Amino acid sequence: MPDCRTSIVLAFALLLPCAAIQSQTDKAQYPDYPSETPANLQPVTSSFNYDRRTAEIPMRDGVKLHTVILIPKGAAHAPILLTRTPYSADAQTTYAPSTHMESILWGYDNAVDVIVQGGYIRVIQDIRGKYGSEGDYVMNRPMHGPQNPTPVDESTDTYDSIDWLVKNTPESNGKVGILGISYDGFLALTPLIHPHPALKVAAPMNPMVDGWMGDDWFHNGAFRQQNMPYIYEQAATRANTAKWWSGSFDDYDVYMRPGSAGELGKQRGLEQIGFWKKVLAHPAYDAFWSDQAMDKLLAADFKAEGIKVPFMLVHGLWDQEDIYGPMAVYKAVKPLDKDNKVFLTLGPWYHGQQIAKGSSLAAVQFGSDTAAWWRMHVLAPFLAHYLKDDASSMNVAPVTAYETGEDDWQKLNAWPVAPKMKPLYLQSDFKLSFTANATNSAAFDEYISDPAKPVPFRARPNQPVGYEPPVTTWEYWLVDDQREPSGRSDVLTYTTDVLTAPVHIQGQPLVNLIASTSGTDSDWVVKLIDVYPDEYPANPQMGGYQLPIGMDIIRGRYRESFTTPKPIESNKPLAYRFNLPPANHVFLPGHRIMVQVQSSWFPLYDRNPQTYVENIFWAKPDDYKKATQRVYHEPSNASAVELPVVDQP
């Protein structure tokens, strides 16, 4: 007699034919009922004023890069305008579901009026490792060399892409221009090294150039910790699907609670990301940063090979993200420009505002759309001159600079790389004057810097970095009214008398701060401010407004060397010298000039514990100490902000 297991097997075997028969019977009960979704939808685009193509362009190492090509209907012998991006080529070419090329491009990184009215073929490409492109992603992929042992970089990828485009776009005239903003601006700089012969012009706008000296990651050694969400979202996934989160409306609290930036990163899992680990390992300006600095790389290449491609650097005077890069490149390469191929624009804009509306910047009004004027009178003829077959000579100056205060455009032959400087001295009784201090003046002013109560970089609640609702004011913070910090006890404020004549500055102000701390490390923030008259009938909301003209920070441990940090000798007056961002400004009669000094700028920059530790990313709670900060203005230790004053025309 079979056991139980045998019985079960026999029963199951007998049931199988029945189940198969039942399945066939059920299937026979229903008529054919196909899906209503086509296997491959073919959109009808005959009414569109453009043709849209996509291509997976092969690089020299076999990696394919996703590329969107928009061709105006009827185009022939048209130049190509290329942008390479880590922010999705598909997204940047589908801003609206429209039949019009202008509408689908109306958004970030598209100077739409210039592109459409100029009849350009628009090409946008995902860089390797992002969105639709193959390969591995590396943040601001270094050029081939010490930091990149592979044979491919953004320059070679651009070369290979241009080579494919001119061979496979029959509607083109074989001429290519490249432009881009921010990260895409960095990507418009890299192909200037070993360029493809078809690359005829470039327009790097607000480019990332040196992440440590003064662009996205550090400013003079102080870490811009509010960019940690960008690192997380940009590098965690191919399509930026990982999102930084917050349990607080006020970013001040988000960055205060963990103590240090390193601890916050640890709590958020940021250490899974390769670039963040590199940031943690390189807090000083070592070879990791200097080997990648595009101003240095371009200067070295141009010295050896010459400048082959004309290009225009575009700088925003109130660029809240990459205020260092364009001018650093200009200063490095302009002396090498033997054939007038280096152009420069300085506009009164936030980061990337040149492709948006430019009639105002928060409360500051310019009286006209400065961005639209620049696009039509500078960018459009500049690109056309080098890209169009029938282009005539252009009327574009080597330097086009907006003069804030007077609110007009200037055409200059050059921008002062080493202007004459005039010291504006900090004095006793919180005065500010071009006259040197009297011998009987007080030696110093002092304040207590408390890391437990850092100075907010703008009025709380502090919003995160961003451009989309509910974050809508990030782009304006560099023009925030500085009256609130000027009233704090941990901010020193020095002011001139009311001006009786205009003071025009053109160049980079230089801070020469003589200061001491009771701690062994310290940050110093210095702000140059235009104080409006108490009443301003032309724009009443500007009455008494304290408008920043240039502001920046330095981490004291790098006072002697950005490469080799060292503790600060306590209670000893020491010199801290660093540049403020470029300015082209007129302080008008009836206004006053102000300088503010403080020791924190939170949460945009991480807190200095004011006790020297090897790596501030890992400062412990007990390391954060109050310190007595002194700013000196006696004749032998005269603090000043040296201004690049020029004569009024």
Side-chain angles (χ1 to χ4, degrees):
M1 184 174 181
D3 60 20
C4 292
R5 287 175 296 179
T6 304
S7 300
I8 292 170
V9 171
L10 290 171
F12 184 70
L14 291 171
L15 286 173
L16 278 175
C18 296
I21 294 169
Q22 184 66 40
S23 175
Q24 294 172 4
T25 303
D26 291 344
K27 185 175 182 181
Q29 288 179 359
Y30 297 102
D32 187 19
Y33 200 54
S35 170
E36 295 180 346
T37 302
N40 185 18
L41 178 67
Q42 298 296 323
V44 178
T45 60
S46 56
S47 63
F48 290 17
N49 69 357
Y50 63 92
D51 290 326
R52 180 188 184 91
R53 303 171 190 167
T54 59
E56 312 308 313
I57 299 180
M59 300 295 102
R60 62 191 62 186
D61 62 347
V63 167
K64 295 179 180 178
L65 303 187
H66 179 65
T67 308
V68 178
I69 305 167
L70 302 175
I71 301 176
K73 279 286 179 67
H77 302 287
I80 294 171
L81 274 183
L82 169 66
T83 293
R84 305 185 64 251
T85 184
Y87 301 133
S88 177
D90 289 337
Q92 288 180 217
T93 54
T94 54
Y95 285 112
S98 176
T99 62
H100 298 104
M101 188 169 170
E102 182 177 20
S103 296
I104 67 169
L105 291 175
W106 195 270
Y108 175 74
D109 226 358
N110 286 308
V112 176
D113 42 11
V114 175
I115 296 167
V116 174
Q117 294 176 28
Y120 291 100
I121 297 169
R122 183 66 170 131
V123 177
I124 303 184
Q125 180 183 75
D126 292 330
I127 62 172
R128 62 173 61 217
K130 295 303 295 183
Y131 291 90
S133 287
E134 299 175 349
D136 297 322
Y137 177 68
V138 177
M139 184 81 75
N140 297 107
R141 181 180 294 271
M143 302 295 285
H144 170 71
Q147 304 302 325
N148 177 6
T150 74
V152 295
D153 54 31
E154 302 299 357
S155 176
T156 64
D157 282 355
T158 310
Y159 189 104
D160 295 348
S161 299
I162 291 175
D163 195 65
W164 188 95
L165 286 166
V166 296
K167 293 175 180 176
N168 292 275
T169 313
E171 298 88 348
S172 82
N173 65 356
K175 298 178 182 179
V176 179
I178 189 167
L179 72 168
I181 297 169
S182 193
Y183 199 133
D184 300 357
F186 158 76
L187 294 166
L189 281 175
T190 55
L192 299 177
I193 297 175
H194 308 309
H196 191 283
L199 181 62
K200 302 301 181 182
V201 69
M205 306 180 192
N206 319 103
M208 302 167 75
V209 169
D210 190 322
W212 195 95
M213 290 300 298
D215 284 328
D216 289 86
W217 317 125
F218 295 82
H219 274 221
N220 296 314
F223 177 59
R224 287 172 68 96
Q225 63 180 358
Q226 274 195 303
N227 278 337
M228 292 171 68
Y230 176 90
I231 296 172
Y232 183 81
E233 295 180 4
Q234 179 66 16
T237 62
R238 182 176 295 269
N240 291 28
T241 53
K243 298 300 178 184
W244 184 267
W245 67 96
S246 175
S248 300
F249 181 72
D250 190 347
D251 247 17
Y252 192 100
D253 297 325
V254 171
Y255 291 90
M256 195 70 183
R257 291 192 187 108
S260 68
E263 180 60 27
L264 175 60
K266 185 177 181 180
Q267 292 177 8
R268 297 298 181 93
L270 210 59
E271 291 174 15
Q272 302 170 73
I273 294 170
F275 180 68
W276 177 245
K277 290 190 285 189
K278 293 173 184 176
V279 170
L280 293 176
H282 300 279
Y285 194 62
D286 57 16
F288 173 74
W289 298 109
S290 61
D291 287 348
Q292 299 184 58
M294 286 304 301
D295 55 333
K296 297 178 176 63
L297 291 168
L298 288 165
D301 180 77
F302 292 171
K303 284 179 183 177
E305 304 290 337
I307 302 174
K308 296 183 174 65
V309 178
F311 63 98
M312 178 180 289
L313 296 156
V314 181
H315 174 80
L317 291 166
W318 284 290
D319 185 332
Q320 79 283 5
E321 294 186 19
D322 295 306
I323 203 165
Y324 175 86
M327 293 308 304
V329 172
Y330 184 83
K331 290 168 69 174
V333 306
K334 186 58 181 176
L336 308 172
D337 184 19
K338 299 177 181 178
D339 300 315
N340 299 318
K341 291 181 179 177
V342 178
F343 293 76
L344 174 67
T345 289
L346 297 95
W349 306 315
Y350 62 72
H351 188 69
Q353 191 181 1
Q354 62 270 14
I355 66 165
K357 292 182 179 180
S359 56
S360 65
L361 183 54
V364 184
Q365 304 291 323
F366 301 124
S368 65
D369 190 335
T370 60
W373 182 92
W374 174 79
R375 292 195 301 272
M376 289 297 97
H377 293 88
V378 180
L379 181 62
F382 176 73
L383 295 175
H385 177 72
Y386 293 104
L387 291 174
K388 294 196 173 182
D389 293 337
D390 57 353
S392 59
S393 60
M394 63 175 179
N395 184 25
V396 175
V399 176
T400 304
Y402 192 84
E403 185 181 53
T404 55
E406 288 285 4
D407 291 335
D408 60 8
W409 285 101
Q410 298 172 312
K411 292 185 176 182
L412 307 173
N413 290 325
W415 181 256
V417 173
K420 294 180 180 179
M421 308 299 283
K422 186 175 182 179
L424 184 62
Y425 294 99
L426 281 58
Q427 296 188 332
S428 57
D429 299 323
F430 300 104
K431 296 289 186 180
L432 200 59
S433 174
F434 288 110
T435 303
N437 297 346
T439 55
N440 61 351
S441 65
F444 57 81
D445 298 306
E446 71 177 25
Y447 59 95
I448 302 298
S449 175
D450 185 356
K453 300 176 181 178
V455 181
F457 83 105
R458 66 187 315 190
R460 295 180 67 182
N462 293 152
Q463 293 183 320
V465 172
Y467 295 87
E468 301 296 331
V471 180
T472 57
T473 66
W474 158 249
E475 58 261 55
Y476 304 137
W477 79 265
L478 274 181
V479 295
D480 281 354
D481 192 339
Q482 296 299 300
R483 274 179 282 203
E484 182 168 334
S486 70
R488 289 179 59 114
S489 61
D490 52 0
V491 178
L492 299 180
T493 301
Y494 301 86
T495 314
T496 66
D497 293 333
V498 174
L499 299 177
T500 59
V503 177
H504 182 191
I505 60 173
Q506 191 175 85
Q508 287 191 261
L510 174 64
V511 172
N512 183 29
L513 185 71
I514 311 300
S516 68
T517 177
S518 62
T520 51
D521 199 0
S522 178
D523 288 350
W524 302 99
V525 179
V526 176
K527 309 172 188 175
L528 177 66
I529 297 165
D530 184 345
V531 182
Y532 278 62
D534 292 336
E535 289 188 329
Y536 197 70
N539 187 1
Q541 66 176 330
M542 295 298 290
Y545 202 97
Q546 296 179 9
L547 175 66
I549 303 303
M551 308 187 288
D552 220 331
I553 186 172
I554 190 171
R555 185 138 286 173
R557 60 176 52 208
Y558 301 111
R559 183 185 71 86
E560 296 181 6
S561 168
F562 287 134
T563 302
T564 308
K566 62 183 293 187
I568 298 172
E569 185 176 347
S570 299
N571 300 312
K572 181 178 180 180
L574 299 170
Y576 299 86
R577 292 177 63 85
F578 59 100
N579 286 320
L580 296 182
N584 189 35
H585 184 73
V586 180
F587 298 92
L588 296 171
H591 292 227
R592 291 173 293 160
I593 304 175
M594 175 182 287
V595 170
Q596 291 181 7
V597 182
Q598 60 199 59
S599 292
S600 52
W601 223 8
F602 188 82
L604 179 60
Y605 293 92
D606 64 335
R607 296 177 302 153
N608 192 316
Q610 302 181 157
T611 302
Y612 186 86
V613 295
E614 287 301 315
N615 189 333
I616 289 180
F617 283 116
W618 301 114
K620 303 302 181 186
D622 291 344
D623 296 325
Y624 292 87
K625 306 289 186 183
K626 292 182 182 180
T628 300
Q629 313 288 81
R630 290 178 173 176
V631 173
Y632 291 79
H633 40 64
E634 59 187 338
S636 59
N637 286 311
S639 296
V641 177
E642 299 177 19
L643 300 182
V645 177
V646 297
D647 294 332
Q648 287 290 103

